[in-house]
């Protein structure tokens, strides 16, 4: 297997999704690594660092990787 | 013409003169070498089949190297499917047999020579395909629940498509090899980079299904999920066909927000749900908006939003037909909002550029409703696409 295709497999299989959380009170947003079984609109245990109110998952995404292949 | 030929012969003879006359032995050797090539060129012209055979051999060798990439993609996607089946209690001994059966699964399109009623037959075949495929998955992975089954179905479908691409490429490669046909080999060589790119894009979708994160195609359901949150929709109603609807009030207008039931990997049957809902309201709907991801053209920016008329849905036909039919029957304006993205972005984990456009789409929908729906009216907003990793109302 060529080096280029092995790099492709490594990049494609090891994605690092991000969960964007939003405070339900002050709408403060923060990003942290995605945790298993999280989904958009799910209430999470994290507290808002500004007002200590509950937060929910506003979006889940990955940062675009530079296309090398 | 004779003059040209005479001069050429003179030049060749001059080049072949002994070193005593040119005073350069190496020049003589070089000239002799060029002369031999010159002769070989003409000799090879006498046997055109030889050249073509050489070109075919080189072309087939290049294709063979590239086919190994497709083999690797096929193998790794099957491995991922096997791991997922095992996670849900598949029999370890028969695992490879089960994976083979799932990836070789096929459907036969209905006959189109007599097009009357083809959409009904197509819908029936599609439903039957899905039912049979899910039954096989349940049989091979007995511990899978309904939600995980939809996501497992997505994983199996991806492995199936990559396997199909590999099979087709290999078929034409082997055919070119068998008949030593240069023209078939050339066609395979031309199209192979596109097939590899397509297989790679499908492969990139695999981690999304195993991790259960939204894909680019999920932008439509994500817009609806955002609207549920924004308008404080706390519960949704099951409509059947794996679709849900939530009700919201917006400046004295009623919004019916519809999407496939999440967060499992479902697309549902939006056409059937729209038809059912519009009929239950006796057509008293002032606007139907469909929101979907659409393929961008080369040069266009990812995440660009555009608005038009019609049903924005990329199904094979039956669902789109039902939405159009409902709109036509009650003369309801049918507006489409699309979010442009590349094929790779649409089927792989959603990138931030696309996720950031959700609020813009929500604002567009609100402006559209204010512009076209009178106070007291109803707007039906449908988020089309795979709702993997996107929940309903919280």
């Amino acid at each position: 297997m060529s080096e280029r295709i092995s790099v492709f497999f490594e990049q494609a299989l090891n994605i690092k999704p991000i969960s964007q959380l939003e405070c339900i009170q002050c709408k403060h947003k923060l990003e942290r690594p995605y945790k298993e079984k999280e989904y958009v609109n799910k209430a999470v245990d994290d507290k808002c660092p500004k007002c200590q109110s509950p937060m929910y998952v506003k979006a889940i995404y990955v940062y675009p990787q530079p296309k090398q292949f | 013409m004779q003059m040209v030929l005479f001069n050429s012969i003179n030049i060749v003879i001059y080049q072949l003169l002994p070193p005593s006359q040119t005073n350069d032995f190496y020049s003589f050797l070089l000239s002799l070498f060029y002369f031999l090539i010159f002769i070989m060129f003409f000799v090879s012209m006498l046997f055109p089949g030889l050249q073509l055979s050489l070109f075919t051999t080189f072309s087939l060798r290049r294709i063979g190297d590239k086919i190994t990439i497709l083999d690797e993609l096929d193998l790794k996607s099957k491995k991922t499917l096997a791991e997922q089946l095992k996670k849900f209690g598949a029999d370890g001994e028969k695992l490879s047999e089960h994976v083979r059966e799932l990836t070789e699964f096929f459907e036969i399109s209905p006959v189109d020579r007599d097009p009357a009623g083809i959409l009904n037959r197509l819908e029936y075949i599609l439903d039957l395909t899905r039912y049979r495929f899910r039954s096989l998955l349940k049989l091979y992975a007995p511990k899978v629940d309904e939600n995980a089954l939809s996501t497992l179905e997505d994983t199996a479908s991806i492995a199936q498509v990559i396997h199909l691409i590999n099979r087709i490429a290999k078929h034409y490669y082997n055919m070119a090899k068998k008949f030593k046909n240069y023209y078939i080999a050339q066609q395979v060589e031309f199209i192979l980079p596109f097939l590899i790119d397509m297989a790679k894009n499908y492969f990139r979708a695999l981690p999304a299904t195993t991790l259960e994160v939204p894909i680019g195609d999920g932008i439509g359901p994500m817009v609806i999920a955002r609207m549920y949150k924004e308008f404080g929709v706390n519960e949704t109603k099951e409509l059947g066909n794996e679709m849900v609807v939530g009700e919201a009030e917006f400046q004295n207008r009623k919004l019916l927000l519809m999407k496939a039931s999440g967060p499992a990997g479902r697309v549902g049957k939006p056409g059937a749900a729209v038809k059912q809902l519009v009929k239950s309201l006796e057509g008293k709907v002032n606007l139907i908006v469909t929101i979907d991801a659409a393929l961008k053209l080369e040069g266009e920016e990812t995440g660009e939003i555009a608005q038009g008329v019609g049903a924005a849905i990329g199904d094979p036909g039956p669902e789109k037909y039902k939405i159009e039919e409902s709109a036509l029957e009650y003369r309801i304006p049918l507006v489409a909002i699309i979010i442009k993205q590349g094929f790779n972005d649409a089927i792989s984990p959603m990138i931030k550029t696309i996720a950031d456009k959700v609020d813009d789409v929500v604002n567009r929908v609100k402006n559209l409703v204010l512009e076209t729906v009178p106070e007291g009216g109803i707007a039906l907003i449908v988020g089309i696409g795979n709702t993997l990793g996107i929940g309903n109302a919280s």
Side-chain angles (χ1 to χ4, degrees):
Chain A
M1 192 167 46
S2 73
E3 195 186 331
R4 281 177 71 183
I5 193 75
S6 15
V7 174
F8 165 78
F9 282 128
E10 203 181 308
Q11 271 193 2
L13 292 171
N14 298 316
I15 56 156
K16 291 179 175 64
I18 302 288
S19 291
Q20 187 188 61
L21 309 183
E22 190 179 76
C23 171
I24 55 168
Q25 285 297 323
C26 69
K27 305 289 173 199
H28 173 70
K29 279 185 261 185
L30 63 90
E31 280 185 351
R32 64 147 170 73
Y34 163 82
K35 290 180 186 170
E36 209 179 320
K37 301 288 171 198
E38 272 182 357
Y39 54 84
V40 174
N41 274 7
K42 187 187 182 188
V44 286
D45 296 333
D46 304 51
K47 297 285 174 206
C48 173
K50 281 193 173 174
C51 67
Q52 299 303 310
S53 300
M55 301 187 94
Y56 76 98
V57 181
K58 191 179 183 188
I60 300 169
Y61 46 76
V62 292
Y63 278 96
Q65 287 177 336
K67 199 170 180 183
Q68 295 171 2
F69 312 105
Chain B
M1 184 65 191
Q2 272 181 344
M3 192 64 185
V4 171
L5 194 67
F6 175 76
N7 282 342
S8 308
I9 291 167
N10 264 356
I11 288 165
V12 171
I13 291 169
Y14 175 75
Q15 292 290 311
L16 283 171
L17 281 173
S20 57
Q21 291 191 28
T22 58
N23 290 328
D24 191 345
F25 178 67
Y26 293 109
S27 278
F28 171 72
L29 280 183
L30 199 66
S31 304
L32 188 65
F33 175 70
Y34 286 142
F35 180 69
L36 287 174
I37 289 186
F38 184 72
I39 295 295
M40 274 167 68
F41 175 73
F42 280 102
V43 171
S44 69
M45 295 278 275
L46 299 173
F47 305 99
L50 184 76
Q51 287 179 16
L52 207 60
S53 168
L54 273 173
F55 290 156
T56 314
T57 311
F58 291 141
S59 182
L60 285 171
R61 198 173 293 168
R62 284 194 297 270
I63 297 167
D65 286 346
K66 283 180 182 165
I67 290 267
T68 55
I69 299 175
L70 284 177
D71 274 337
E72 278 296 325
L73 290 163
D74 191 8
L75 195 73
K76 283 214 187 302
S77 60
K78 280 179 183 164
K79 201 178 153 197
T80 310
L81 174 61
E83 281 165 6
Q84 291 295 305
L85 288 173
K86 215 170 175 183
K87 192 172 133 188
F88 296 110
D91 182 355
E93 283 179 12
K94 290 182 178 172
L95 204 56
S96 55
E97 194 186 312
H98 293 165
V99 168
R100 196 177 57 81
E101 196 165 341
L102 287 167
T103 49
E104 293 274 343
F105 192 84
F106 64 91
E107 70 193 53
I108 299 167
S109 303
V111 63
D112 55 3
R113 284 188 180 178
D114 178 14
I118 193 172
L119 280 179
N120 292 334
R121 283 182 281 131
L122 179 64
E123 189 181 4
Y124 179 64
I125 295 287
L126 291 173
D127 286 350
L128 213 57
T129 306
R130 191 146 180 254
Y131 174 77
R132 187 68 204 128
F133 199 57
R134 283 170 76 94
S135 303
L136 280 177
L137 284 169
K138 270 188 208 167
L139 190 71
Y140 299 152
K143 287 180 189 167
V144 71
D145 60 36
E146 274 303 307
N147 282 335
L149 180 63
S150 297
T151 313
L152 184 64
E153 192 185 344
D154 289 347
T155 311
S157 303
I158 293 166
Q160 196 186 11
V161 172
I162 294 174
H163 182 59
L164 181 68
I165 293 171
N166 191 17
R167 273 169 55 208
I168 291 173
K170 269 189 176 160
H171 167 72
Y172 287 105
Y173 167 62
N174 287 326
M175 220 162 86
K177 220 169 156 179
K178 185 177 169 185
F179 295 108
K180 292 189 173 46
N181 190 314
Y182 176 67
Y183 303 101
I184 298 177
Q186 276 299 284
Q187 286 182 57
V188 180
E189 201 176 348
F190 288 148
I191 205 160
L192 207 52
F194 299 102
L195 291 178
I196 292 173
D197 192 51
M198 194 188 277
K200 277 183 175 175
N201 288 333
Y202 273 106
F203 190 84
R204 283 194 189 97
L206 274 175
T209 59
T210 50
L211 289 169
E212 296 178 41
V213 294
I215 58 170
D217 182 50
I219 184 82
M222 203 185 253
V223 169
I224 300 298
R226 184 73 51 89
M227 290 179 89
Y228 285 156
K229 208 77 196 170
E230 193 173 325
F231 294 110
V233 178
N234 292 320
E235 58 180 273
T236 50
K237 197 171 95 183
E238 291 280 345
L239 284 171
N241 293 309
E242 300 184 328
M243 298 295 291
V244 292
V245 67
E247 276 186 36
E249 280 291 316
F250 171 61
Q251 302 207 5
N252 296 327
R253 291 148 178 100
K254 190 190 209 179
L255 303 182
L256 297 171
L257 307 168
M258 187 193 285
K259 70 187 269 296
S261 181
R266 297 189 182 104
V267 288
K269 291 179 81 175
V274 166
K275 193 175 176 181
Q276 180 193 329
L277 201 63
V278 170
K279 203 173 178 184
S280 71
L281 292 164
E282 293 165 343
K284 285 172 191 150
V285 176
N286 302 82
L287 174 72
I288 300 175
V289 184
T290 47
I291 305 159
D292 196 8
L295 287 185
K296 73 178 181 81
L297 299 175
E298 286 299 330
E300 285 185 316
E301 270 186 42
T302 301
E304 227 177 79
I305 305 164
Q307 195 188 119
V309 169
I313 175 167
D315 86 310
E319 298 307 309
K320 193 175 185 175
Y321 179 79
K322 281 177 190 167
I323 296 176
E324 288 168 353
E325 200 184 24
S326 304
L328 175 70
E329 191 180 347
Y330 299 101
R331 299 275 162 186
I332 306 167
L334 188 56
V335 176
I337 295 178
I338 54 164
I339 301 93
K340 297 179 188 178
Q341 45 194 282
F343 178 68
N344 56 330
D345 292 325
I347 61 168
S348 47
M350 188 181 283
I351 56 169
K352 191 174 189 296
T353 324
I354 297 170
D356 285 348
K357 296 290 175 180
V358 173
D359 285 329
D360 292 349
V361 180
V362 172
N363 287 334
R364 278 207 182 212
V365 173
K366 286 199 277 193
N367 290 337
L368 188 66
V369 170
L370 287 176
E371 185 200 325
T372 55
V373 180
E375 287 196 28
I378 299 172
L380 173 56
I381 322 291
V382 194
I384 309 286
N386 195 313
T387 194
L388 177 66
I390 303 163
N392 305 333
S394 56

